[in-house]
Amino acid sequence: MSGKKPGNGSSRRAFLRGATAAGAGALAAGTARAQAPDPLITKVQPWAQGFGDGVDETPYGLPIEYESDVVRRNVEWLTADTISSINFTPIHALDGTITPQGCAFERHHSGAIDLRKEDYRLMINGMVDTPLVFSYADLERFPRENQVYFCECAANTGMEWAGAQLNGVQFTHGMIHNMEYSGVPLRTLLQEAGLDTAGDLTNKWVFVEGADASSNGRSIPMEKALDDVLVAFKANGEALRKEHGYPVRLVVPGWEGNMWVKWVRRIEVMDGPVESREETSKYTDTLENGISRKWTWAMDAKSVVTSPSPQAPITHGKGPLVITGLAWSGRGAITRVDVSRDGGMSWQAARLAKPGEQKALTRFYLDTDWDGSEMLLQSRAMDDTGYVQPTKSQLREVRGLNSIYHNNCIQTWLVRSDGEAENVEVS
Ligand SMILES: Nc1nc2c(c(=O)[nH]1)N[C@H]1C(S)=C(S)[C@@H](COP(=O)(O)O)O[C@H]1N2
Ligand SMILES: [Mo]
């Protein structure tokens, strides 16, 4: 009946003995050794002497005040104002893989709009038999799916092209979130409008636009539209937050965040791409030879150590150290992550918290013993297509220095012997 694995108890005791010993060692070095026994252990504390809050106190919970620094942050100099702007997920302070909506990065081209479910309409028009308009209530009547996917802005890590720039993983890699979406496959709605999904769809595209002033119009090839794209209305179990597209957004798994149109209001079936602003002058990569790639949709495999990192220094001195981070691939599932402590000279396979999932974040850990010496920490992701995350110089060979988007290079943190970490580049 017991779910305990044999040997579990003894290894746990061994670990705790280790922890006590390490604690005693640290105390011996300081002045605290002669202190009286810990009152947190020996005294009845105020919180045990009265009542806590009643269940009517917090109808919808927010993080406790002691976690008030775990918030989205923006970089002031990056954009002219905060309306057409971006903020960043505090990935240095999160664990696991699911991003709470309340701290998941936001990117708006004309601000987050206020749109009630009652006022929501989705039109499907163009080359379909029966152009249709769906209300929110209509969408809820189609069979729906639940899927976890990451959404990464193509500009994530974009400020790092020319050299190490922003001193925190929140800012270098925080244009990403990972949520469980509930929604209707776009395929189902296109079929409802009479698109013959078994017919000849060569050169067929959809053009998708949002209800906000920017509209953020994007063309998506039909093959993708019929594959895994979702018209989603819930994230992590609850309604989408306003800033993530309430009441309905498009989820385009593995592809650049810009295509995940929020407040999606119209989907037109066309016989070619529109070549809108968002897919020509923006979100396009210029190569070393000056020629620009026409489309870059899938986000290539990438990873980063989230702790230790500049915003999450080591504060406990030498001994047991948990190195952790995130890995993801827009082309499939993460199969392996390696960690280097010497700037890429030698690598060790990290432990994946769970087997990698398709187009979703994977958490990795390297449970190690730190001898207190300086580290050049890196991580390197591999996905099930066989792709290996490139170094910065490998990327620059192809892309040059005059680039912004789609930077999936290996990141380096210099961790000093005092535990502080800094964003650096190794060549
Ligand atoms: N309608 C609309 N959809 C949009 C945008 C926008 O400004 N308007 N921004 C896009 C960009 S560039 C990104 S990276 C993602 C960000 O989604 P999020 O704000 O939920 O993080 O939404 C995309 N969808
Ligand atoms: Mo974006």
Side-chain angles (χ1 to χ4, degrees):
M1 283 301 289
S2 159
K4 233 180 181 178
K5 288 195 206 97
N8 233 11
S10 63
S11 65
R12 172 108 191 109
R13 272 195 299 279
F15 178 77
L16 287 177
R17 257 203 315 278
T20 315
L27 287 181
T31 53
R33 200 181 190 184
Q35 243 183 24
D38 186 351
L40 285 169
I41 299 296
T42 58
K43 292 239 167 24
V44 178
Q45 295 298 316
W47 50 84
Q49 294 177 21
F51 295 120
D53 295 344
V55 293
D56 55 347
E57 209 81 20
T58 321
Y60 195 99
L62 289 173
I64 196 163
E65 61 188 290
Y66 316 120
E67 296 294 318
S68 60
D69 58 332
V70 184
V71 289
R72 302 190 269 235
R73 292 182 195 280
N74 58 330
V75 171
E76 266 172 37
W77 54 259
L78 209 58
T79 49
D81 59 56
T82 53
I83 293 179
S84 175
S85 192
I86 184 131
N87 58 24
F88 303 84
T89 311
I91 51 174
H92 62 288
L94 302 179
D95 212 324
T97 55
I98 296 294
T99 317
Q101 287 200 66
C103 67
F105 89 93
E106 313 162 55
R107 169 74 176 110
H108 318 298
H109 292 75
S110 52
I113 58 165
D114 199 322
L115 179 55
R116 301 185 316 159
K117 281 180 186 165
E118 295 81 354
D119 300 330
Y120 178 77
R121 296 291 183 273
L122 171 62
M123 177 189 284
I124 296 192
N125 68 329
M127 303 171 78
V128 290
D129 284 351
T130 328
L132 290 174
V133 174
F134 303 90
S135 66
Y136 184 88
D138 293 336
L139 292 180
E140 283 188 306
R141 299 178 67 187
F142 289 94
R144 68 188 87 125
E145 285 182 11
N146 289 184
Q147 305 282 359
V148 176
Y149 293 121
F150 76 80
C151 171
E152 183 184 19
C153 178
N156 199 20
T157 323
M159 287 82 81
E160 302 290 310
W161 267 108
Q165 183 73 233
L166 295 168
N167 212 29
V169 72
Q170 175 167 20
F171 306 109
T172 56
H173 290 75
M175 292 185 196
I176 192 161
H177 52 62
N178 191 64
M179 304 189 196
E180 184 197 43
Y181 294 97
S182 310
V184 179
L186 176 54
R187 183 193 329 111
T188 307
L189 300 180
L190 290 171
Q191 283 165 344
E192 187 71 14
L195 182 77
D196 178 7
T197 50
D200 181 15
L201 294 169
T202 328
N203 300 326
K204 289 283 185 299
W205 293 65
V206 292
F207 185 69
V208 189
E209 63 184 19
D212 54 331
S214 83
S215 91
N216 195 80
R218 287 291 307 243
S219 312
I220 302 176
M222 187 58 78
E223 199 187 354
K224 179 70 173 175
L226 297 178
D227 180 16
D228 52 6
V229 174
L230 292 177
V231 174
F233 33 83
K234 295 276 163 80
N236 300 339
E238 62 180 358
L240 286 165
R241 296 283 166 85
K242 171 184 176 177
E243 55 272 34
H244 300 301
Y246 180 92
V248 181
R249 90 172 302 166
L250 206 67
V251 167
V252 189
W255 287 21
E256 59 185 6
N258 186 257
M259 303 174 94
W260 294 48
V261 173
K262 301 189 276 191
W263 315 288
V264 56
R265 68 162 207 136
R266 195 171 72 89
I267 299 173
E268 180 172 348
V269 176
M270 307 184 83
D271 55 5
V274 164
E275 304 194 3
S276 70
R277 170 187 182 273
E278 301 292 333
E279 53 201 20
T280 51
S281 77
K282 302 292 171 194
Y283 301 99
T284 295
D285 301 320
T286 302
L287 306 179
E288 168 68 10
N289 60 13
I291 292 175
S292 295
R293 277 188 185 140
K294 186 152 188 184
W295 312 107
T296 309
W297 295 314
M299 301 304 291
D300 283 324
K302 182 166 169 180
S303 70
V304 71
V305 171
T306 53
S307 175
S309 67
Q311 296 160 289
I314 305 172
T315 52
H316 55 58
K318 23 176 130 161
L321 168 69
V322 174
I323 297 172
T324 186
L326 292 166
W328 60 96
S329 168
R331 297 186 192 272
I334 291 296
T335 50
R336 177 181 167 143
V337 180
D338 291 333
V339 170
S340 175
R341 287 180 273 180
D342 53 17
M345 294 197 301
S346 65
W347 295 92
Q348 243 179 306
R351 172 171 65 87
L352 304 187
K354 280 199 254 174
E357 287 163 25
Q358 289 291 317
K359 302 166 187 176
L361 292 189
T362 296
R363 170 67 57 180
F364 66 86
Y365 296 102
L366 188 73
D367 309 296
T368 182
D369 228 309
W370 185 45
D371 63 6
S373 58
E374 222 170 69
M375 295 186 280
L376 285 167
L377 261 190
Q378 299 184 331
S379 66
R380 177 177 73 181
M382 276 151 259
D383 71 16
D384 56 6
T385 69
Y387 179 92
V388 181
Q389 184 182 359
T391 62
K392 224 171 191 180
S393 35
Q394 283 170 334
L395 259 195
R396 281 182 186 147
E397 273 169 33
V398 185
R399 301 270 302 275
L401 283 177
N402 189 21
S403 217
I404 303 169
Y405 305 106
H406 308 105
N407 181 354
N408 68 321
C409 73
I410 290 173
Q411 169 69 39
T412 313
W413 306 124
L414 165 65
V415 183
R416 298 184 202 285
S417 38
D418 63 2
E420 294 293 327
E422 196 186 315
N423 182 5
V424 299
E425 215 173 84
V426 291
S427 44

